[in-house]
């Protein structure tokens, strides 16, 4: 791999991690607000929305893990796909 390509990949991984951290923060806030307001309002829909957001946070954490180590990227790719798939399948049963 050329030095220019390696540098480009590093920049893109860093940008991807920043976006994922922003997504995790926003979705975590969403889940907390959803669960608390759902409990206060006795709304099953709001509580379910909050739990849905918790599953989305778990999926985002898998992506951060996937992007965290460039040397293990090849090995982590398939496992990360499976973990994210399990997270989204879990949404069907929430």
């Amino acid at each position: 791999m050329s030095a220019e390509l390696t540098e480009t990949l590093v920049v893109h991984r860093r940008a991807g991690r920043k976006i994922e951290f922003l997504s995790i923060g926003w979705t975590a806030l969403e889940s907390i607000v959803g669960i608390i307001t759902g409990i206060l309002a006795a709304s099953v829909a709001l509580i379910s929305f909050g739990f849905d957001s918790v599953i989305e946070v778990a999926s985002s954490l898998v992506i951060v893990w996937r992007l965290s180590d460039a040397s293990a990227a090849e090995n982590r790719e398939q496992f990360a796909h499976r973990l994210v798939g399990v997270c989204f399948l879990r949404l069907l049963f929430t």
Side-chain angles (χ1 to χ4, degrees):
M1 205 180 304
S2 71
E4 184 178 316
L5 180 59
T6 303
E7 185 177 323
T8 302
L9 287 173
V10 168
V11 169
H12 287 279
R13 277 194 183 95
R14 188 177 304 127
R17 282 192 305 265
K18 286 179 183 178
I19 291 168
E20 280 303 317
F21 285 128
L22 179 64
S23 173
I24 289 169
W26 179 261
T27 310
L29 178 65
E30 203 176 79
S31 69
I32 292 166
V33 170
I35 291 170
I36 290 172
T37 56
I39 290 170
L40 293 175
S43 170
V44 175
L46 277 173
I47 294 170
S48 295
F49 173 75
F51 284 128
D52 170 74
S53 296
V54 169
I55 294 169
E56 290 178 26
V57 168
S59 177
S60 292
L61 288 171
V62 170
I63 300 302
V64 168
W65 170 76
R66 160 59 183 89
L67 293 172
S68 67
D69 187 5
S71 64
E74 190 73 27
N75 299 334
R76 291 181 175 189
E77 186 73 26
Q78 186 177 14
F79 189 63
H81 280 279
R82 287 184 181 171
L83 286 175
V84 170
V86 167
C87 287
F88 287 126
L89 281 174
R90 180 65 183 113
L91 288 175
L92 292 174
F93 304 107
T94 301

